[in-house]
Amino acid sequence: MWNSAPRTTREIRMTSTSDALVVFGITGDLAYKQIFPALQAMVQRGHLDVPIIGVAQSGDLDQLRARARDSLDKHGGVDEKAFAQLCANLKYVAGDYQDSATFDRLRKALGGAARPLHYLAVPPPLFAVVAERLSQSGCAKGGRVVVEKPFGHNLASARMLNRTLHLYFSESSIFRIDHYLGKEPVQNLLYFRFANSFLEPIWNRNYVASVQITMAESFGIGGRERFYEETGAIRDVVQNHLLQVTSILASDAPASTDPEAIRDQKTQIFKAMRPLAPTDLVRGQFTGYREEDGVAADSSVETFVAVRLAIDTWRWAGVPFFLRAGKRLPVTATEVMVTLKRPPQAVFGEIEPRQSNFLRFRLSPNVVIALGARAKVPGEAMIGEEVELIARHHSGDEMAPYERLLGDAMRGDATLFAGEDSVEAAWRVVDPVLGDATPVYCYAPNTWGPHEANALVGGEGGWHDPRVHEVAP
Ligand code: BG6
């Protein structure tokens, strides 16, 4: 990740590149939508020229190549040259994940590879068994493992999974993926915070009134009903994506570019997040969710959640962090709004909280960094209006998160992956409010969730609507 930064001894020690990539669940949805496009992009950039071994329950190599082509056709297009190279490196092992013979075949397919990267793109209940079989067959030796989210189902199961993985892999060889951390604008948040001196003096409880993060999606659950019934919005995007973004916004500056230094600062924030109480959140479910295939008729799983979070540090004491995520909302957009306090005196009349200065970070679908200020409307009266100074504006990610993260994991750079401590600390935050600890309220599709969520932001000027500052790319 830190291409231009001097490398520390630890980084150099860590960075022997993986000499084979094993993808468990190669015929699954994640591989189809994300992994094949990432692999082709890596080949195009000259970042991937090692054996790629797909593992799945059934099928053969020809079928796998056909599926890879189909995946690329639907997700960005086939680059024939890169695709030919990808196929030349592709091998396939079919078999049951419980069966040790599958892993013996994998060992053979790995040949002399000394540092394979094993990507577990399989349902979470299979993580432990695959890790164990990898170890028993000798495939884990010298290897690394990438584990997909959700990492556990609650604090207890996340701890258990960590313990299990540690039986077979050292912490520095475990890469817990959260694709949000691979997003260009999320990286830019980190960069923008610590590459500018003007921000630091105001980035604290003295100047910041509140922080809001909205992750709105206008679509529903579409084809993932079973997964979603097990998961819900808190586990799906709050415990990971939204708390990760919060930790980047709230952390102190790392002392060095060492991956551990950044992760340590973020972990401190996770540990300082106050565990949520039932009064800190409102859950919602869109009308019609229960009628979808695979959803229980009496399901109380939330498709929307709004949270008021406290971070008990010197810097953030008393500053509310409001997080909101939901499906079937009026727009698809993820946006961070850092609202600054009002000027101490109303020289030109009272300013509402909504009209204060702010920093706005649009994380998707387009990317914006903007500073909100007030300027005088031309004319006789001393009346102001909001203006935005746009510091950065482009239409999207240059490098897809999965490409970036796979490349990092191959190189052994764990900066953008969740560590054991932070993942457990994040579960500790949401653990008290999982399941039916709070009621779930209905909301109509295409609205901003149940109106009960408005009470959470009370005196802070209401929820920020990401459509308000829409700027054409
Ligand atoms: C995934 C969640 O992790 O992130 C999905 O499981 C969500 O429910 C998705 O839609 C959002 O990611 P992105 O990159 O499309 O904004």
Side-chain angles (χ1 to χ4, degrees):
M1 175 208 174
W2 302 101
N3 289 340
S4 57
R7 292 187 169 256
T8 61
T9 328
R10 178 198 243 136
E11 239 181 313
I12 289 162
R13 207 176 54 230
M14 284 171 45
T15 49
S16 62
T17 301
S18 288
D19 47 7
L21 171 62
V22 182
V23 182
F24 287 87
I26 191 91
T27 54
D29 204 45
L30 182 72
Y32 188 72
K33 289 187 180 145
Q34 304 282 1
I35 299 178
F36 283 123
L39 297 181
Q40 176 175 275
M42 288 167 80
V43 172
Q44 280 170 326
R45 286 185 216 262
H47 291 172
L48 183 66
D49 192 12
V50 298
I52 303 161
I53 306 163
V55 187
Q57 318 253 4
S58 58
D60 60 29
L61 186 56
D62 284 340
Q63 286 169 339
L64 182 63
R65 286 185 177 141
R67 187 162 166 88
R69 178 177 281 282
D70 194 42
S71 147
L72 295 169
D73 257 340
K74 304 237 162 46
H75 302 96
V78 179
D79 168 343
E80 291 299 342
K81 189 164 166 250
F83 184 66
Q85 191 186 327
L86 182 64
C87 284
N89 280 330
L90 203 56
K91 301 182 186 184
Y92 188 57
V93 172
D96 191 322
Y97 297 137
Q98 306 278 355
D99 185 358
S100 57
T102 307
F103 291 80
D104 293 339
R105 289 199 292 281
L106 174 60
R107 182 64 265 172
K108 280 204 192 90
L110 279 169
R115 194 178 268 290
L117 178 73
H118 300 286
Y119 192 142
L120 310 192
V122 292
L126 290 171
F127 291 163
V129 67
V130 172
E132 185 188 0
R133 296 280 187 273
L134 282 172
S135 169
Q136 286 166 348
S137 59
C139 296
K141 194 156 171 277
R144 301 179 170 124
V145 65
V146 176
V147 188
E148 262 300 326
K149 74 169 257 279
F151 190 90
H153 197 64
N154 51 25
L155 178 57
S157 57
R159 279 188 179 141
M160 177 75 85
L161 182 55
N162 272 329
R163 273 204 295 274
T164 307
L165 290 175
H166 284 151
L167 295 174
Y168 315 114
F169 294 91
S170 66
E171 177 61 17
S172 63
S173 306
I174 302 173
F175 295 77
R176 298 170 193 82
I177 209 164
D178 180 326
H179 82 281
Y180 248 62
L181 292 177
K183 283 180 182 268
E184 177 70 27
V186 176
Q187 296 238 290
N188 204 350
L189 259 189
L190 182 70
Y191 187 91
F192 190 75
R193 276 213 52 208
F194 299 125
N196 294 302
S197 55
F198 72 90
L199 220 47
E200 181 57 18
I202 58 168
W203 208 251
N204 54 51
R205 69 185 184 289
N206 297 321
Y207 288 87
V208 175
S210 69
V211 178
Q212 284 197 20
I213 309 174
T214 292
M215 178 182 178
E217 294 177 314
S218 58
F219 48 88
I221 310 302
R224 302 168 75 216
E225 291 80 6
R226 284 234 169 77
F227 162 82
Y228 212 79
E229 276 286 275
E230 293 287 309
T231 314
I234 300 175
R235 290 187 176 94
D236 188 32
V237 299
V238 175
Q239 185 272 343
N240 33 67
H241 305 334
L242 293 191
L243 291 189
Q244 286 287 349
V245 172
T246 305
S247 75
I248 292 173
L249 284 165
S251 74
D252 282 347
S256 72
T257 57
D258 187 313
E260 282 306 314
I262 295 170
R263 295 205 328 179
D264 286 352
Q265 293 297 355
K266 286 174 55 196
T267 301
Q268 293 310 314
I269 294 297
F270 283 117
K271 288 184 174 167
M273 291 175 182
R274 203 180 297 163
L276 295 172
T279 47
D280 294 327
L281 94 163
V282 172
R283 295 192 307 134
Q285 187 187 82
F286 65 78
T287 315
Y289 173 71
R290 290 179 186 178
E291 277 82 67
E292 302 209 1
D293 273 355
V295 172
D298 59 351
S299 172
S300 59
V301 165
E302 75 283 352
T303 58
F304 170 95
V305 64
V307 171
R308 181 187 173 106
L309 176 73
I311 300 180
D312 292 324
T313 61
W314 189 279
R315 188 191 281 270
W316 295 114
V319 179
F321 282 70
F322 299 107
L323 318 180
R324 173 171 71 153
K327 306 282 186 195
R328 304 293 305 267
L329 301 190
V331 66
T332 296
T334 301
E335 188 154 288
V336 175
M337 192 74 170
V338 179
T339 304
L340 301 184
K341 290 186 174 170
R342 280 172 277 190
Q345 285 195 324
V347 178
F348 305 113
E350 206 49 65
I351 293 175
E352 297 300 315
R354 252 182 210 290
Q355 299 175 327
S356 307
N357 295 157
F358 60 83
L359 275 123
R360 181 169 72 88
F361 301 91
R362 168 62 70 93
L363 305 183
S364 82
N366 52 341
V367 181
V368 176
I369 298 179
L371 175 66
R374 296 198 62 80
K376 185 180 164 300
V377 176
E380 262 178 61
M382 289 298 272
I383 295 173
E385 65 178 346
E386 184 183 292
V387 291
E388 267 205 329
L389 312 172
I390 309 268
R392 164 70 86 219
H393 183 210
H394 56 89
S395 55
D397 283 2
E398 202 229 38
M399 190 186 247
Y402 275 89
E403 182 194 351
R404 188 191 304 266
L405 294 173
L406 257 173
D408 282 0
M410 295 284 289
R411 284 191 305 279
D413 182 344
T415 315
L416 300 179
F417 293 83
E420 173 189 14
D421 284 5
S422 68
V423 116
E424 289 186 8
W427 276 117
R428 192 182 50 82
V429 176
V430 299
D431 217 45
V433 292
L434 291 175
D436 290 330
T438 59
V440 65
Y441 301 100
C442 283
Y443 64 96
N446 205 26
T447 67
W448 283 105
H451 62 84
E452 283 81 359
N454 296 334
L456 277 181
V457 274
E460 301 293 335
W463 287 101
H464 163 65
D465 182 339
R467 292 171 302 182
V468 169
H469 296 100
E470 204 57 78
V471 194

